[in-house]
Amino acid sequence: MITDTFSLHFLLHAAALLEERLRERLAKIGIRPRQARIIDALSRIEPASQVSLAREFDITPASMSTMTVRLIEAGFISREPHPDEARSNVLRLTTRGRGLLSEIHAAWRDIDALIVERLGAENAETLARTTRDLRDSLGGRVPGAGTTAPKDTIKEPL
């Protein structure tokens, strides 16, 4: 059976290879790709409840809980009582977590540069536009960006 006849496999394989490169790059600062996305999103929407953050990523609160516990233990985010709701908590970036943002963005720029290097600028732009359109058509969005901001005003994370 030849699996290269399905376009989906090219996309999935390329995404896996890029994510591995990103994982290696982010390991230098002690985080994983999904943790980087959470830190970036939290920088735009903090303070945020764990439930609202889970909604932003379209995952279950239990899955978000697992991820946020690791980020809390690493000292990148904090959990504190909600100022208006005594039974709720909110998440915020710590100074240490906020300090990672420039390094996260540098890692993402490095991967963008790798794509341009391998495909050329025009093909890289076409790839970005096409995959963004696919994501949008499937109901995806940038966590923390809301639903009303125009696409060209939002710097999208990987």
Side-chain angles (χ1 to χ4, degrees), residues 43-98:
S43 76
R44 288 191 298 270
I45 63 174
E46 68 180 325
S49 71
Q50 197 160 276
V51 171
S52 66
L53 196 56
R55 255 188 249 121
E56 290 292 326
F57 282 90
D58 197 25
I59 63 173
T60 66
S63 293
M64 183 56 70
S65 176
T66 300
M67 288 189 264
T68 56
V69 163
R70 290 182 182 139
L71 290 168
I72 290 167
E73 289 172 352
F76 300 133
I77 65 174
S78 65
R79 182 183 300 136
E80 53 195 58
H82 191 288
D84 301 324
E85 299 174 30
R87 297 186 324 185
S88 297
N89 293 311
V90 292
L91 303 171
R92 294 182 188 273
L93 288 179
T94 63
T95 302
R96 185 173 180 209
R98 194 166 308 287

Side-chain angles (χ1 to χ4, degrees), residues 4-157:
D4 279 356
T5 59
F6 300 101
S7 299
L8 169 67
H9 292 158
F10 298 127
L11 181 61
L12 292 175
H13 194 185
L17 292 168
L18 285 171
E19 187 168 21
E20 182 56 33
R21 299 278 174 91
L22 181 60
R23 182 177 284 102
E24 291 168 3
R25 175 64 172 78
L26 289 171
K28 295 175 185 176
I29 60 172
I31 61 171
R32 296 182 177 131
R34 291 186 184 176
Q35 291 174 324
R37 291 188 69 222
I38 291 169
I39 290 169
D40 181 70
L42 194 52
S43 76
R44 288 191 298 270
I45 63 174
E46 68 180 325
S49 71
Q50 197 160 276
V51 171
S52 66
L53 196 56
R55 255 188 249 121
E56 290 292 326
F57 282 90
D58 197 25
I59 63 173
T60 66
S63 293
M64 183 56 70
S65 176
T66 300
M67 288 189 264
T68 56
V69 163
R70 290 182 182 139
L71 290 168
I72 290 167
E73 289 172 352
F76 300 133
I77 65 174
S78 65
R79 182 183 300 136
E80 53 195 58
H82 191 288
D84 301 324
E85 299 174 30
R87 297 186 324 185
S88 297
N89 293 311
V90 292
L91 303 171
R92 294 182 188 273
L93 288 179
T94 63
T95 302
R96 185 173 180 209
R98 194 166 308 287
L100 287 179
L101 284 169
S102 64
E103 294 180 68
I104 289 168
H105 295 166
W108 290 345
R109 279 191 300 277
D110 289 349
I111 300 302
D112 282 350
L114 173 67
I115 294 168
V116 170
E117 174 188 311
R118 300 301 169 95
L119 297 180
E122 186 175 330
N123 285 338
E125 178 56 37
T126 299
L127 177 65
R129 185 177 50 256
T130 303
T131 53
R132 181 180 52 233
D133 289 348
L134 177 60
R135 185 227 26 222
D136 292 351
S137 74
L138 293 170
R141 62 189 178 89
V142 177
T147 56
T148 58
K151 287 182 200 175
D152 60 349
T153 63
I154 301 167
K155 178 62 179 161
E156 302 205 26

